[in-house]
Amino acid sequence: MQSEVLSPDRKQFEIADSAGTPARRKGRVTMLGLRGIPDVQGGVEKHVEMLAGRLAAQGWEVEVVGRSPYLPGAGARQWNGVRVVPLWAPRHVALEALAHTFLGVCRAAVRRPDILHIHAVGPALMVPLARLFGLRVAVTHHGYDYDRQKWGRLARTALKLGERFGMRLSHGRIAVSGDIARTMDARYGVAVDFVPNGVAVAPGDVRTGILDEFGLAPRRYVLLAARFVPEKRQTDLIRAFARLGDPRLRLVLAGDAEFDSDYAREARALAAETPGVVLAGFQSGDRLAELFANAALFVLPSSHEGMPIALLEAMAYGLPVLASDIVANREIGLPAADYFPLGDTEALASAMAAKLAALPGEEEMRRRAREVEAAYSWSSIARRTEAVYDAVLGRRG
């Protein structure tokens, strides 16, 4: 397989004309359940950003309906062959996804796409409504969102109900990890297609000036790219980094909190009082690519993942990695030395020290990158998703 590269003009939008995107021969797909694309923080957002572009290139007419607070302007735009439509959503952590998905399903009922593709178990609460409208529905299960620490009992119950609706009532079901696919089969007795997340790397030697901006030297910093939410456990990584006591080393935390929280404030305060920690904020595109390309080590200390895109991207740059030993991370199949016990900051510090003392050479990094790119090509993942669409439309068997 060929490796995927990010388009150099990925941030450029063009206003869609009144006729919209031209009709495609394979069918029309509306994607719903995410904040938006491109360059919007979140694993589901990255998944849809890459998948939608590849599906469009393969002959599908793809529309992504995002939430207006995260998208520029008021009208539909074309990006990378995909029609991106902002739709109103309340800026509220508990209501945003549900209200937006309700409106998105109502919109789809009017526009009648061939397939309504809903992403994540929370938005899947609206699958019964979509079925009532006579829509053909596919659902991608991106992870057990009800296990996230931020949710209370009522929200967890709603998310579990969304999972049940999505798995039992949709026409096509996708899981981003083998564990999720097996669990859904056992829990609901339904067939679920395993289609993993993929990786994409920026072309060539990217230079944006971000290293100079934050005072970073190549191969002299540890990187984590993740939202500031409790399950990403930035605080564990900061405490482990402090144990290293190396004044020449930096820890770069790329990401931010979408909603202010006690955890985000705690993480920022801990970072401020720990020498060597750099809060880089949310980064995307070439700036994030440059951070990945020049890091010494990538660490993912999280307690919850569906299938970790950021970890895969780090691997696609050939970086040495460390990940917590949760099921989702273990499914990647890394060597035992690449895992550490969740929450054990002493073990994490020891593992980081060992990795940093034996960094791979450039040729070894290129070899690792080629292996990952071949295994997780977005073109291959789009073809597997297309097979699910064909089944939903009765084009298979």
Side-chain angles (χ1 to χ4, degrees):
M1 300 176 187
Q2 295 182 351
S3 64
E4 298 292 310
V5 297
L6 300 179
S7 170
D9 61 347
R10 61 188 306 230
K11 294 183 180 178
Q12 299 301 313
F13 281 96
E14 295 177 0
I15 302 297
D17 60 25
S18 59
T21 52
R24 304 272 187 162
R25 59 183 175 82
K26 289 187 176 180
R28 295 188 301 123
V29 179
T30 293
M31 295 192 180
L32 189 60
L34 65 150
R35 298 172 184 87
I37 64 169
D39 297 331
V40 177
Q41 186 172 225
V44 175
E45 286 70 24
K46 171 61 73 173
H47 176 101
V48 172
E49 177 179 323
M50 301 308 301
L51 175 63
R54 295 311 305 163
L55 287 170
Q58 290 172 200
W60 292 84
E61 183 181 343
V62 184
E63 176 183 72
V64 173
V65 180
R67 302 169 198 168
S68 56
Y70 301 92
L71 295 173
R77 288 163 167 80
Q78 287 291 122
W79 175 83
N80 202 22
V82 178
R83 190 168 189 257
V84 182
V85 180
L87 186 63
W88 179 85
R91 196 75 166 87
H92 188 281
V93 64
L95 299 177
E96 180 180 286
L98 189 60
H100 181 262
T101 307
F102 171 78
L103 294 175
V105 170
C106 293
R107 180 181 181 278
V110 175
R111 296 183 64 87
R112 312 305 300 179
D114 297 301
I115 292 175
L116 176 63
H117 191 162
I118 295 177
H119 290 267
V121 297
L125 272 167
M126 293 295 122
V127 170
L129 179 64
R131 292 295 305 270
L132 184 64
F133 286 141
L135 296 168
R136 306 290 292 181
V137 185
V139 170
T140 293
H141 195 316
H142 286 269
Y144 310 111
D145 289 342
Y146 39 79
D147 287 341
R148 295 183 186 273
Q149 293 167 250
K150 65 180 179 180
W151 298 124
R153 181 179 300 177
L154 180 60
R156 291 171 191 262
T157 300
L159 289 166
K160 289 180 180 179
L161 185 61
E163 178 186 84
R164 176 179 291 273
F165 286 166
M167 295 299 101
R168 286 197 176 276
L169 300 179
S170 60
H171 299 91
R173 307 162 194 88
I174 296 171
V176 298
S177 80
D179 172 70
I180 294 173
R182 291 187 296 271
T183 300
M184 295 303 99
D185 186 7
R187 186 174 294 172
Y188 301 111
V190 294
V192 180
D193 289 277
F194 166 42
V195 181
N197 285 321
V199 294
V201 296
D205 185 14
V206 178
R207 295 181 185 273
T208 67
I210 192 171
L211 298 190
D212 291 338
E213 180 181 334
F214 290 109
L216 303 173
R219 308 292 175 231
R220 294 303 307 164
Y221 62 89
V222 177
L223 176 65
L224 168 60
R227 286 181 295 162
F228 274 55
V229 289
E231 57 269 20
K232 296 301 182 181
R233 301 181 80 105
Q234 283 91 348
T235 51
D236 285 359
L237 180 53
I238 295 170
R239 292 185 177 103
F241 173 78
R243 286 176 174 269
L244 298 179
D246 185 346
R248 301 167 300 169
L249 192 65
R250 298 290 181 267
L251 169 62
V252 177
L253 301 177
D256 207 344
E258 286 150 0
F259 297 93
D260 200 19
S261 66
D262 290 342
Y263 173 77
R265 288 189 290 272
E266 177 192 0
R268 293 191 193 104
L270 186 59
E273 66 188 37
T274 304
V277 178
V278 176
L279 295 179
F282 171 60
Q283 301 293 337
S284 63
D286 288 345
R287 285 170 63 85
L288 181 59
E290 187 170 0
L291 287 177
F292 270 113
N294 291 281
L297 173 67
F298 182 87
V299 181
L300 185 66
S302 53
S303 60
H304 171 86
E305 296 286 344
M307 189 181 192
I309 291 181
L311 179 60
L312 292 175
E313 289 188 334
M315 293 164 58
Y317 282 94
L319 295 180
V321 299
L322 283 169
S324 56
D325 60 352
I326 61 175
V327 172
N329 291 341
R330 282 198 169 275
E331 281 223 339
I332 303 297
L334 300 172
D338 291 351
Y339 294 106
F340 65 91
L342 173 66
D344 189 335
T345 57
E346 184 175 353
L348 174 55
S350 296
M352 289 168 64
K355 290 280 186 180
L356 292 167
L359 294 178
E362 293 298 321
E363 181 54 40
E364 172 63 14
M365 291 178 67
R366 285 192 289 270
R367 182 192 66 78
R368 294 181 183 184
R370 288 193 297 269
E371 291 178 354
V372 174
E373 290 165 10
Y376 295 98
S377 160
W378 275 111
S379 293
S380 171
I381 289 160
R383 286 191 293 271
R384 291 165 69 172
T385 303
E386 183 177 32
V388 176
Y389 290 172
D390 287 341
V392 168
L393 297 175
R395 296 175 181 171
R396 182 174 68 186

